[in-house]
Amino acid sequence: QVQLVDAGGGLVQAGGSLMLSCAASGHTFSGYTMAWFRQAPGKEREFVASITWSPSSTFHADSVKGRFTISRDNAKSTVYLQMNSLKPEDTAVYYCAARLGVPTILVHRYTYWGQGTQVTVSS
């Protein structure tokens, strides 16, 4: 069993930056692919970025490529999402997720989820 705790959300103006973190506990972090998803009101949960265990290969959705960066610190069992040049359309609840296996953008393929952290970008 893996527990994930998301943190770092908040209110920011368009063009600003935030860094989200996701701390894992309860089981070894080793071997898990980690990802960030987001869900805006009235919309389905969508993939944002993923990162493999080792080597840390990353993949970002086109909508955030060049603005967001996913990273991980395996010694701290923590994954991060650095978000720059934020836009109002980035407003959503952001969730981290974990799975054993190769990265995927499919929501239902992830086994463990954080509780979510709200990101609001004002125009």
Side-chain angles (χ1 to χ4, degrees), residues 47-50 58-66 68-71 81:
F47 172 83
V48 175
S50 64
T58 62
F59 178 71
H60 297 78
D62 287 344
S63 58
V64 305
K65 199 172 293 182
F68 292 10
T69 303
I70 190 172
S71 62
L81 185 69

Side-chain angles (χ1 to χ4, degrees), residues 8-121:
L11 173 64
V12 64
Q13 289 188 332
S17 298
L18 282 175
M19 175 176 272
L20 306 183
S21 64
C22 173
S25 63
H27 197 274
T28 178
F29 200 48
S30 175
Y32 279 85
T33 287
M34 304 297 295
W36 287 97
F37 288 79
R38 66 186 181 185
Q39 188 166 17
K43 295 188 176 181
E44 293 186 352
R45 194 167 297 190
E46 66 173 1
F47 172 83
V48 175
S50 64
I51 186 166
T52 55
W53 162 247
S54 182
S56 295
S57 176
T58 62
F59 178 71
H60 297 78
D62 287 344
S63 58
V64 305
K65 199 172 293 182
R67 300 188 298 121
F68 292 10
T69 303
I70 190 172
S71 62
R72 66 190 294 165
D73 184 335
N74 291 333
K76 296 182 178 179
S77 297
T78 301
V79 63
Y80 303 95
L81 185 69
Q82 176 65 46
M83 305 186 295
N84 299 326
S85 302
L86 282 160
K87 305 175 181 179
E89 51 263 45
D90 295 319
T91 295
V93 178
Y94 284 71
Y95 299 88
C96 72
R99 71 183 303 267
L100 281 173
V102 298
T104 175
I105 67 171
L106 300 176
V107 173
H108 67 275
R109 294 288 189 180
Y110 286 83
T111 308
Y112 302 105
W113 292 85
Q115 82 285 2
T117 184
Q118 176 71 47
V119 172
T120 304
V121 184

